[in-house]
Amino acid sequence: MFKAAIFDWDGTLADTKEAIVTSFQMALREINCSPDSKVIERLIGIGSSQTFREILRIENISFDEHLIDSLVRIKVKNSIELSKEIKLFKGSKDLLMILKDKIKLGLASMNKREFIDHLLKRFELADLFDVVVTADEITKSKPDPEIFVKCLKELFVKPEQCCIFEDSIFGVRAAKSIGISCIAVLTGAYNKMEIIAEAPDLIVNSLNEKQKIWKFLFQ
């Protein structure tokens, strides 16, 4: 039986796609860069810094880490201002509340701490998580598993004792690379065939499929 579950935020627990894309676009306008929204959507999950690097490479715009840091600060400010548009997916909070009495819960998000803390407070979720790890506490982006490794250590569980909930191919790859079971949720930017190709242990349409999730975790 699993002793812990780790959740991603964007596209897994919350519908953040529109707010994320807009916040990136607003920041990039500061340097006269206007990438297609689909490009940004496909990069959700690897963290703001790495997303900016990838976009600037695609757009053939030279950059240094000072510029990246500046863009990230602007993006975080924009994200908080746009956060009123963000909604939890149906069933997300209910699932967390059900699991809280059974196993330890972790949140592993490639967002900045300031943004995640703001949303956890807004949705009254902070008390449901035993551990929260954000981009501020790590140095590598998904699909590197660093964020999950840190979360496991802080939860005091082994990889085989934990299950990760993810919506992106980057997150599923990160989980599988260190032998953690992974439930993929089809509420992100990737279609079912793309998710299947990453070989998660279970695929659900949403976190509202609580019976299916419960059976996988505890039976």
Side-chain angles (χ1 to χ4, degrees):
M1 186 177 76
F2 293 105
K3 294 184 177 181
I6 297 172
F7 287 81
D8 171 56
W9 179 262
D10 295 323
T12 301
L13 288 170
D15 186 359
T16 59
K17 184 169 69 174
E18 185 174 339
I20 287 176
V21 170
T22 302
S23 65
F24 272 110
Q25 289 174 327
M26 291 170 67
L28 287 163
R29 286 193 200 110
E30 299 286 328
I31 57 170
N32 297 314
C33 178
S34 302
D36 187 273
S37 61
K38 293 296 183 183
V39 173
I40 300 173
E41 287 178 17
R42 302 290 290 185
L43 293 170
I44 292 175
I46 64 173
S48 298
S49 296
Q50 190 61 24
T51 297
F52 279 122
R53 293 186 192 103
E54 294 297 329
I55 290 171
L56 295 180
R57 289 187 186 112
I58 291 169
E59 297 293 321
N60 292 315
I61 297 174
S62 60
F63 63 89
D64 57 22
E65 289 308 301
H66 176 74
L67 175 59
I68 297 299
D69 290 343
S70 176
L71 289 171
V72 169
R73 285 193 295 272
I74 296 170
K75 186 259 181 182
V76 170
K77 179 177 179 292
N78 294 338
S79 296
I80 291 174
E81 291 174 354
L82 293 166
S83 64
K84 61 182 179 296
E85 300 175 9
I86 294 173
K87 294 180 174 62
L88 293 178
F89 285 119
K90 184 178 180 180
S92 295
K93 190 170 184 177
D94 288 343
L95 179 62
L96 291 173
M97 293 176 70
I98 291 169
L99 293 179
K100 178 63 178 174
D101 293 330
K102 191 78 172 175
I103 56 178
K104 295 179 181 179
L105 297 180
L107 178 64
S109 173
M110 292 303 301
N111 283 295
K112 301 292 282 184
R113 169 68 64 174
E114 181 183 3
F115 181 57
I116 286 297
D117 284 348
H118 173 79
L119 291 173
L120 291 178
K121 181 178 180 180
R122 178 191 159 195
F123 291 114
E124 299 181 342
L125 296 178
D127 291 341
L128 295 178
F129 291 104
D130 298 283
V131 170
V132 176
V133 180
T134 71
D136 290 310
E137 289 87 54
I138 60 169
T139 59
K140 299 175 183 177
S141 302
K142 298 174 188 175
D144 188 283
E146 181 188 11
I147 193 167
F148 294 145
V149 171
K150 183 171 178 59
C151 206
L152 287 171
K153 288 180 179 178
E154 294 189 13
L155 287 168
F156 297 101
V157 295
K158 299 176 182 178
E160 62 269 22
Q161 297 173 320
C162 185
C163 182
I164 287 176
F165 289 77
E166 266 284 356
D167 70 289
S168 78
I169 60 173
F170 307 110
V172 177
R173 286 176 192 169
K176 301 304 290 183
S177 72
I178 52 173
I180 306 179
S181 295
C182 182
I183 296 177
V185 189
L186 299 177
T187 45
Y190 295 88
N191 63 47
K192 188 172 184 177
M193 294 308 297
E194 289 174 311
I195 294 296
I196 288 174
E198 301 301 326
D201 298 274
L202 179 69
I203 297 175
V204 294
N205 291 311
S206 76
L207 294 181
N208 206 36
E209 294 186 42
K210 290 185 282 293
Q211 288 186 335
K212 191 174 182 180
I213 293 169
W214 187 270
K215 183 177 180 180
F216 178 82
L217 292 175
F218 304 117
Q219 294 182 14

